[in-house]
Amino acid sequence: MSGERVEVALGRRSYPVTVSAGWPADIGAALGVPGGSSRALVVSQAPVAAAGHAGPVVGALVDHGLDVDTVEVPDGEAAKDVAVLTRLWQAAADLPLARHDVIVAVGGGVVGDLAGFAAASYHRGIDVVQVPTTLLAQVDAAIGGKTGINLPQGKNLVGAFHQPRAVLCDVATLTTLPARVLTEGLGEVVKYGLIADPGLLDVLEERWPVGEELGRGSVTGRLGGSADGPPGGEPSLALLEELVLRSVRVKAAIVAADEHEGGQRAHLNLGHTYGHAVEALTGYRSVLHGEAVAIGLCVALRLGRQLGRTDDALIERVGSLLARLGLPTRGPKLDRAEVWRAMAGDKKVDASGVRFVVVDEPGHPALITPPPEAVDAAIDEVAG
Ligand code: GLY
């Protein structure tokens, strides 16, 4: 198996994103193991390693003649912390990793952001390879070079743009995810359908299987994992591969066009302005990122309608799709002043006010600074 390759075209810093269903025959080649490297630090998490995802990567690096050390970081957003980052720097120094060596992140967005920032900062920047194992990370976080950690004052407040050397997405890793974690990633796939590839909406409507367990977005359910077999359908590897590949193509093209978010890359924030406020005001616990994005998409579409840009049919279509996928279409009722503070504190906001991405029709997003009354009215419809 070789997988499909998508290039993130950034001149001399261009890199391949390989999307495969099962590890490619030559994992080392897909990882783009740097020619001059002699050591690698593989950063992972206990559940990722227990699911067997780190082993093949470590094996491939060893087969390529590298000395490999592994570090597991704690689960969850709390790991994006300076104390954990310090552990990674020290593990790198203990090996020791030199300028030409590499850090390899195997896991979800937390692992990728943290390991990516360790690589961006250690020795003033060494190579990082991303091996994302969640749908969110495969379609979004692992591509584009955003790395960082959190502060008590906010998420991702310290970080750097540091493009990976290669990204390897094996969609078979997604079959070990809890159903709710797989489902949340679909929020970002719907986003790509709305901003650039409307065919993704058709694929999800026509082919995403809705079983009892998947439809409820169960926290504990595993795809294909229970002794009785899954109670509903499960997505085939071919479907997962198509969704990831098409999403990756969108993200790669946007990053290539606007690496540092001076323009078009901001379209990736569709659903995120309100979504970030939901996450922040619910303590980053009860609502997962992709679920918050789904709620944010509902607000953004209604904001578009308030402004005469988005029609009812699209709002109904996306609402039905999100519900069908097991994603929320209504948000928790939150204190409105705190919502505005959270949205205005968002680092993606410029001085002219709170920016939103709206959708005129699928494939046609626009970045606007709307009147606050229109935003309030849209929020009232979704979380009033
Ligand atoms: N996750 C949004 C971006 O990479 O710009």
Side-chain angles (χ1 to χ4, degrees):
M1 186 169 313
S2 57
E4 297 264 359
R5 274 166 64 106
V6 178
E7 186 85 348
V8 181
L10 290 168
R12 284 174 46 242
R13 292 175 301 114
S14 297
Y15 55 94
V17 181
T18 304
V19 180
S20 64
W23 295 112
D26 188 346
I27 302 179
L31 296 176
V33 178
S37 299
S38 55
R39 294 194 177 96
L41 181 67
V42 174
V43 182
S44 181
Q45 278 171 327
V48 176
H53 304 324
V57 174
V58 171
L61 295 166
V62 170
D63 287 349
H64 274 70
L66 275 72
D67 282 341
V68 183
D69 204 353
T70 59
V71 179
E72 284 179 12
V73 298
D75 273 347
E77 194 64 32
K80 283 174 60 175
D81 173 78
V82 70
V84 182
L85 178 65
T86 302
R87 270 183 49 210
L88 293 188
W89 283 329
Q90 290 178 342
D94 282 343
L95 248 173
L97 291 186
R99 291 290 296 272
H100 51 267
D101 291 328
V102 61
I103 291 180
V104 182
V106 185
V110 165
V111 173
D113 283 6
L114 187 62
F117 189 44
S121 46
Y122 179 76
H123 257 306
R124 299 190 182 88
I126 65 170
D127 281 331
V128 66
V129 172
Q130 297 280 355
V131 185
T133 60
T134 65
L135 184 56
L136 268 180
Q138 292 192 353
V139 300
D140 183 20
I143 304 159
K146 286 189 179 176
T147 70
I149 58 168
N150 303 328
L151 294 181
Q153 288 84 351
K155 262 180 89 171
N156 297 325
L157 282 184
V158 181
F161 281 97
H162 187 61
Q163 298 294 343
R165 183 174 184 97
V167 182
L168 171 57
C169 306
D170 171 8
V171 300
T173 61
L174 307 181
T175 62
T176 64
L177 292 174
R180 187 177 171 199
V181 177
L182 179 67
T183 299
E184 69 153 330
L186 297 173
E188 297 283 0
V189 178
V190 172
K191 178 195 80 178
Y192 288 121
L194 287 169
I195 63 173
D197 181 359
L200 277 168
L201 303 178
D202 302 322
V203 172
L204 288 171
E205 284 167 341
E206 290 160 18
R207 291 170 47 204
W208 186 262
V210 180
E212 212 186 320
E213 184 176 355
L214 285 174
R216 281 204 308 269
S218 157
V219 185
T220 52
R222 278 177 176 271
L223 288 175
S226 83
D228 320 336
E234 57 189 61
S236 65
L237 290 181
L239 175 57
L240 291 170
E241 196 174 12
E242 177 170 353
L243 294 174
V244 172
L245 187 59
R246 290 174 74 154
S247 299
V248 164
R249 284 194 184 120
V250 175
K251 176 106 192 219
I254 289 177
V255 169
D258 176 23
E259 183 180 4
H260 294 115
E261 202 172 310
Q264 191 187 348
R265 187 162 178 170
H267 292 160
L268 295 171
N269 296 328
L270 174 65
H272 285 62
T273 310
Y274 188 71
H276 280 316
V278 171
E279 281 185 279
L281 299 180
T282 55
Y284 298 101
R285 275 187 303 274
S286 53
V287 185
L288 301 182
H289 176 72
E291 295 169 341
V293 168
I295 296 165
L297 292 177
C298 294
V299 168
L301 292 174
R302 282 169 176 77
L303 174 61
R305 177 165 64 188
Q306 290 288 333
L307 301 173
R309 306 180 69 130
T310 309
D311 64 24
D312 290 345
L314 183 60
I315 291 172
E316 276 164 33
R317 181 181 180 194
V318 173
S320 301
L321 175 58
L322 294 173
R324 180 175 183 279
L325 298 173
L327 286 163
T329 56
R330 294 195 61 76
K333 191 157 173 52
L334 302 168
D335 180 271
R336 195 57 56 86
E338 286 187 25
V339 166
W340 276 104
R341 261 197 299 281
M343 293 195 300
D346 187 315
K347 66 189 187 322
K348 297 181 180 76
V349 171
D350 69 19
S352 62
V354 177
R355 297 187 304 169
F356 272 79
V357 182
V358 292
V359 179
D360 294 330
E361 55 188 91
H364 295 276
L367 182 64
I368 61 166
T369 306
E373 317 77 69
V375 176
D376 276 331
I379 296 172
D380 284 342
E381 289 183 47
V382 173

